[in-house]
Every structure is written in C-alpha cells, then in structure tokens.
Amino acid sequence: MVVSGLVTGCFMDLNGIASRLSGWLCGEGPMGDIVISCRVRLARNLAGFCFLSKCSEAARTEIEEKLRAIFCEMKVGEEAFYFDVCKAETLEREVLIERQLISRYHAKIDGARGVYVGEDESFAAMVNEEDHIRMQCLRAGLQLEECWAELNRLDNRVEEQVDYAFDEKLGYLTACPTNIGTGIRVSVMLHLPALRMSGEVEKVLRAAKDMNLAVRGMHGEGTEAMGDLYQVSNQVTLGVSEEQIIEEFTNTIVPKIVEYERAAREQFAAKNPAALDDKVGRAVGLLSNARLVSSQEALHLLSHVRMAVNMGRIKNIDMGSINELFLLTQPAHLQYNCGRELDAGHRDALRAKMLRDALGRLN
Amino acid sequence: MVVSGLVTGCFMDLNGIASRLSGWLCGEGPMGDIVISCRVRLARNLAGFCFLSKCSEAARTEIEEKLRAIFCEMKVGEEAFYFDVCKAETLEREVLIERQLISRYHAKIDGARGVYVGEDESFAAMVNEEDHIRMQCLRAGLQLEECWAELNRLDNRVEEQVDYAFDEKLGYLTACPTNIGTGIRVSVMLHLPALRMSGEVEKVLRAAKDMNLAVRGMHGEGTEAMGDLYQVSNQVTLGVSEEQIIEEFTNTIVPKIVEYERAAREQFAAKNPAALDDKVGRAVGLLSNARLVSSQEALHLLSHVRMAVNMGRIKNIDMGSINELFLLTQPAHLQYNCGRELDAGHRDALRAKMLRDALGRLN
C-alpha cells in the first residue's frame, strides 16, 4: 500500500501506527476496568481569518500551511507526524477515524486540512475541521487532569506563535456556538456491559443527560453504542471554567457511573453466576471457533470477554490484548493491515481468523 | 431412584437402558448419514374383546395380563423385559417416550397397560395403547425390509397364541379407521439440515404430503422438527400390501429425499464453504463452551455437528457419540440418569456440562 500525504521531516507514516495499539488503549490507568479512555479537546480559531464556513480556498490553504509548520516544529515526542488528510486514500482516513485521530466530518470535507499526531497518539490536532484547530489529549483510564495539564501546555505553545480569535466577554470564539467560551470538551469512553445487560444503562444515561451531558457511541455524535462502549461528554462550555468541568467529571460524574457498573457486575456474579459464565463461555466459544464475524458481532463478543477479564473470570489474557482486538478488527484497520481493500465477506473471514488466533488458546 | 413396574423374570430394568444408546441409534446402517432410523409398526386387536374406547376396566386388565404373558414368553433376546406403564413414575414414562418405546398417549392414559421391549430396543410392543397391541421393529439406517421380516415373524408368533380381530374384506380391524387393512405404518427418521438451511425442505416435504405421506417431528404427531429431524410415514393402510408400502419407501421415497439432501450438502460445500465452516465452527464453539443449553438448542447445534461429521469436516468424533448426545441430553434422560428431578435451569447446566465434556476435545 502506498502511504500518501506523508510530510518530509516527520519520520512516522500511517503504516507504523495502524498495526499497533494507541498508547491510550493500553488497558491501564485509573478505573481502567470500566473507563477505557479519557479525552480533553479544545476548539481554537486564528484571529484575522474567517471561520471555515466563510473562508476562501486561498485563506484555508494559508491557515493549513501556517498551522502545519507550527505543529511540525512543536515535536510532541520523537515519533510525532503530520498527515495531509486532503491527499489521503479513503482507507487511510478511515484508519484515522477508527483511531479517533480525526472525525468523520474531517475525513469527508474538501480543501486543505490535516492532522498532527503526537507520539503514542496521546496528542492530536486536526487542522481545518469545523474550527481552524481542534486539539485533543487522550489517556488510558480516568486521567482528565493530566490530559488537561498537557493540552493546556501545548495550547500555550501554539498561542505563543499565533493570535487566537478571543472575546473578553464570550471567551474563545468558535464556529459553532455550542463550543464558545472555554472551547473545551471533556469526554470519557466507558465500558458498561453489566448495566446494559441488567437494563439499567438507559436509566444511568438518562440521568447523565439530565446533567447536561451528551452520551454517544464509540465514534461520537450519531453513532450507536457498539460493544457496550459509551462516550460521555460535557455540553456546556460557556460560563464555567475548564477546571470546574474536569473536577466534576473526575470526582463526581465518572466515579458515580463506575460505581453503578461495578455494582451491576457484582450483583450479576452473586445472583446468577451460571448465566454470567454462560454469556462469557459463549463469547469465547464463538470468537475462537466462528469462521465469519462481522465487526459489530466482534465488538459485542469482545465486550463480554473484556468484562470477564476485569472480573477475574478469565485469567490468561491481558486487557491490552482485548483492547487491541477492539481496534484491529475494525474494517479499515483490517484492510489497511492486510494491504488491500476487501469485500464484507472477506473482511468477516479475516476478522474471524484474527480472533481465533488471539482467543483460541482461551478454550 | 426407585425403579417401579419391573416384572419378575425380566432381567432388565429401565435403569439399564436409560444410560446407553438404543441399538438402532448406533449411527450405522444403509444411508446412515441421512436416515437415522427406520421403523415398521403393526396395529392389532384381539378377537372377542371390545376396542379399548368401549372396553370395561376388567376386560382391559384381562387383555393386559394375557398379552404380558405371551410377550414375556417370547423372549426377544436375553435382555428383553416387560414394563408396567401403569405403575411407572412420570420420569420413567418420559424416558420411554424419548426412546420412542411408548407414545405420549400411552404414557398419559389410565388403566392396565405396559410395554414389552426386546433386547437392544429393536423390538417393542405397547399393550393397550389405542389398539390392544402396537408392535414395532426399529433399525439404524434404511433397513425396512429387515424390520418387516422380523416384525412379521414376531406377529406370527403372537398370532399362534391369540385370535386377531380380522375381517375378510377390511383386513385387520383397528380402533382408528386410518390403520385398518394391513394395520401397518412405515416410518423413517431423516436428518435434513442442508435442505432446511437452503429453504428447500418445505418443498420436499410438500411433495411427500402430495404422495400421501405424513411428515412430523421426532416424537411423532403434533411435534415440531427439532434438530432438523423429520419423520416421514405412510398414511394409507387399506388396499395396498405391506410389501408394496415397504418397497416404495425403500426404492423410491427415501432414496429420493436422501439424494436431495446430499445434493444440498454438496452445493453448500461447493458454493459457500466459509459459511458452512462458520455454521459448524459456531456449533462446536457453543457446545464446548456454553454453560446453559436448552434441549432445543442442543438438538439444533448437534444437528450441525452431525452433518459436519458426515461430510468429513469434523473427523475426531463418531456418529454413535453424536446420536447418543441427541438422546441423553433430552430432559427425561438427563434427570433420570442423574437420579432426581431438576428444574429447567439445572437441566440446562447439566446438559451444557455433558456437551462440554463430550465435545470440548473437538476444539
């Protein structure tokens, strides 16, 4: 496969990341049994330029070149790289989406744009998505304060080189009013299989919505909760400080949901251990014997195995390997890593083989 | 468990048969890949007695005692025995039903009645079911001529001792007019998984019905086709000889259906081997890993494994072992062999354990 969009001077290409685990998916980190990952994101725009919806092609290109140069000089780790999304193949864009480095919207639009990816993918900055800059820090487990400290530091480094569009009263100006103010979005990816099985997940998520939180599937807005993965994020960005938002997530919102999920797991194990072992046994049996597995089924079955590993009911596999399968069995990763596009039937066969190879020894 | 209903002088009790395979389930016999078993049954009534629907309690008892004595003297093999269904526990009756030695109707009604079971269960005679005598011979695979020869021989031995109700014009008189004439019913138990998967089974069975054949599930009238097992039997008994019926089954009807099933299997293997291996892999994966399995699911999954063994896609298990699981995982056998009644949850757990123990090594 030809890797396109690679900028000279950045020594990493997509090939390098697509075959391995993102740093923030290692399976460690506080509350890592339930909190897969956490993320803080900032939206920023350059002063003196229009928002992208009103921006000329020339100005868009000027913004992209300016920001590309700034990010490439920042060197967020030795293996950081900038990727020209505009020139990328469809499959490369899909890989970046599956790794949560770019949004579906960023992949789809036209015009000069790119993404800067820090070493280990713990930092990423989309250039010319909805705003001129969308920067994120990701960590495994619940480490929002660490994410925010790092993101704040990198944001300051960018701000040393450019003027951000800022209003004394409104704060940072953003293309969409929902991001105005701090421009911050905090989100956590939660694994809630027991709450889903007990039917309580709807109740918990309704309570989250009542607290002005958004709840989405693993790929953000408009996606379903596959593999029992739920993304919970803040919606209000105006009139509340970054620190307040992070504090509330870290000390109240996330621990509460984690507590509910743990209670649901304990109750399941205490009240119906046979049904629990049956669910897990069936997942292992199918993953290690099926010959055709869709990505949706893979996520669904891996979700049960992940829970069982966390509950100590399966011992001979580590969390990182399960998280790796969550990522590498997704359609674009599967095709990219085998070097060519595959139709659905061949994807399902290759995915099944990968799962059998990884989980066959659990029998 | 107390074994009731055992008659002195018959050296076999229910305990003995319930834990092992019926002779006709050995998995061998002509066309044994698709024809599980074949059966010929005769309906007979004693002259000088009313049909059972009009019979007094005393006459019913007299018939039972008379026939019991005759059968017990016949000694169809060293290990033959007579079982008093009237005195039997519910679970014992259910075991006899699952082994096809008595009918659900025979288990349920009141009054003096019993069943004589030949060695290996290849011969059985219900006393006081719908008719005074319902005799059957069973064999593995397609051996209807052998069944009929043996049954005819045994029928003649009974007739040496009693007068059958017989009319020159109508033939043997039976309680239900559908059995009148020869009183013969011929049936074959067919395993048709590929025809069911391809959706053609309905067409084949409709054609069978057009030929005046009845098609039923594994436990006869009114039962569903579980585990892709279909019982095909004749309906006409008047104006056609026993030999004609047997000849038609042996040389036309059964070979035709077998040919259709084999073609469907070959086509499946040629056109979509991945889907076939997936189906079989999933069945093996679930059977060797699930912790709770219903009897219906067990039959369904075992059906796929049975087909795969016959197609040479699974090598390290023999047909007899699969047929044994078909029988021993059924609810009454499961409970009888563990020595006590179990609720559905415990049955499902015990069934799953039996299946895991038997099939775990296939992984």
Side-chain angles (χ1 to χ4, degrees), chain A residues 12-310:
Chain A
M12 191 88 184
D13 60 29
L14 208 47
N15 243 334
I17 63 167
S19 59
R20 60 154 202 264
L21 205 54
S22 314
W24 50 271
L25 263 178
C26 64
E28 286 158 20
M31 302 189 192
D33 53 337
I34 290 159
V35 187
I36 305 255
S37 61
C38 66
R39 175 163 71 152
V40 182
R41 191 215 70 192
L42 288 177
R44 296 288 185 259
N45 288 277
L46 304 187
F49 289 90
C50 292
F51 286 135
L52 290 162
S53 57
K54 300 278 182 192
C55 202
S56 70
E57 202 57 45
R60 178 188 285 266
T61 302
E62 194 185 333
I63 295 164
E64 197 269 336
E65 283 170 359
K66 192 182 179 86
L67 289 171
R68 176 203 295 218
I70 290 171
F71 281 118
C72 281
E73 240 170 60
M74 276 173 64
K75 283 212 175 245
V76 185
E78 277 307 308
E79 296 191 326
F81 66 104
Y82 184 88
F83 193 80
D84 189 334
V85 175
C86 190
K87 292 184 189 151
E89 305 277 342
T90 308
L91 209 49
E92 292 171 319
R93 291 177 201 171
E94 293 289 330
V95 166
L96 292 171
I97 293 171
E98 289 178 357
R99 298 184 85 82
Q100 312 210 32
L101 295 171
I102 69 171
S103 65
R104 199 155 283 289
Y105 175 74
H106 197 222
K108 182 179 74 179
I109 54 173
D110 289 319
R113 66 201 192 282
V115 61
Y116 181 74
V117 180
E119 189 170 339
D120 260 357
E121 300 163 68
S122 59
F123 172 73
M126 285 187 281
V127 173
N128 289 351
E129 199 241 21
E130 193 178 279
D131 295 294
H132 299 159
I133 308 174
R134 289 265 175 116
M135 283 183 286
Q136 65 176 23
C137 272
L138 279 118
R139 289 272 192 289
L142 187 61
Q143 303 192 60
L144 285 168
E145 282 157 356
E146 293 79 355
C147 279
W148 170 236
E150 173 73 355
L151 189 59
N152 200 20
R153 194 179 64 78
L154 294 168
D155 182 41
N156 289 338
R157 285 183 60 193
V158 177
E159 207 166 6
E160 283 165 17
Q161 315 220 24
V162 295
D163 283 333
Y164 281 152
F166 184 82
D167 176 276
E168 283 301 328
K169 197 168 149 219
L170 291 172
Y172 290 100
L173 301 178
T174 53
C176 176
T178 57
N179 290 309
I180 223 161
T182 59
I184 200 176
R185 173 137 307 158
V186 168
S187 66
V188 285
M189 181 81 80
L190 302 170
H191 184 225
L192 307 176
L195 283 174
R196 197 196 38 80
M197 282 183 228
S198 72
E200 291 167 288
V201 78
E202 290 306 324
K203 204 171 64 187
V204 171
L205 300 182
R206 254 200 317 278
K209 279 173 192 163
D210 290 345
M211 295 171 73
N212 267 316
L213 301 170
V215 179
R216 293 160 182 153
M218 62 185 293
H219 290 309
E221 226 153 331
T223 65
E224 261 184 80
M226 290 191 295
D228 305 319
L229 296 178
Y230 297 85
Q231 214 183 96
V232 175
S233 59
N234 69 308
Q235 306 228 69
V236 177
T237 54
L238 188 63
V240 50
S241 76
E242 290 89 342
E243 285 75 14
Q244 277 176 300
I245 294 171
I246 302 231
E247 198 276 333
E248 202 183 2
F249 262 76
T250 305
N251 298 319
T252 310
I253 296 165
V254 179
K256 201 79 200 163
I257 301 178
V258 166
E259 190 183 300
Y260 285 138
E261 170 65 19
R262 285 195 183 139
R265 291 182 186 188
E266 276 163 28
Q267 200 168 26
F268 199 178
K271 286 204 176 157
N272 209 341
L276 177 60
D277 287 338
D278 185 56
K279 243 181 213 308
V280 174
R282 282 168 184 267
V284 170
L286 290 174
L287 288 168
S288 50
N289 286 280
R291 293 296 190 275
L292 295 171
V293 180
S294 71
S295 59
Q296 196 148 353
E297 188 186 20
L299 288 174
H300 176 72
L301 297 174
L302 286 170
S303 168
H304 291 149
V305 174
R306 191 183 194 280
M307 179 180 70
V309 172
N310 275 318

Side-chain angles (χ1 to χ4, degrees), chain B residues 112-171:
Chain B
R113 67 202 190 283
V115 62
Y116 181 74
V117 180
E119 188 168 342
D120 259 357
E121 300 163 68
S122 58
F123 173 73
M126 286 187 283
V127 172
N128 289 351
E129 199 241 24
E130 197 179 277
D131 294 293
H132 299 160
I133 308 174
R134 289 267 175 116
M135 281 184 286
Q136 66 176 22
C137 272
L138 279 117
R139 288 276 189 290
L142 187 62
Q143 304 191 59
L144 284 167
E145 282 156 357
E146 292 81 352
C147 280
W148 170 236
E150 172 73 355
L151 189 58
N152 200 20
R153 193 179 64 79
L154 293 169
D155 182 40
N156 289 339
R157 284 185 60 191
V158 177
E159 208 166 5
E160 286 165 14
Q161 318 222 19
V162 295
D163 282 334
Y164 282 153
F166 185 82
D167 177 275
E168 284 300 327
K169 196 168 151 220
L170 290 172

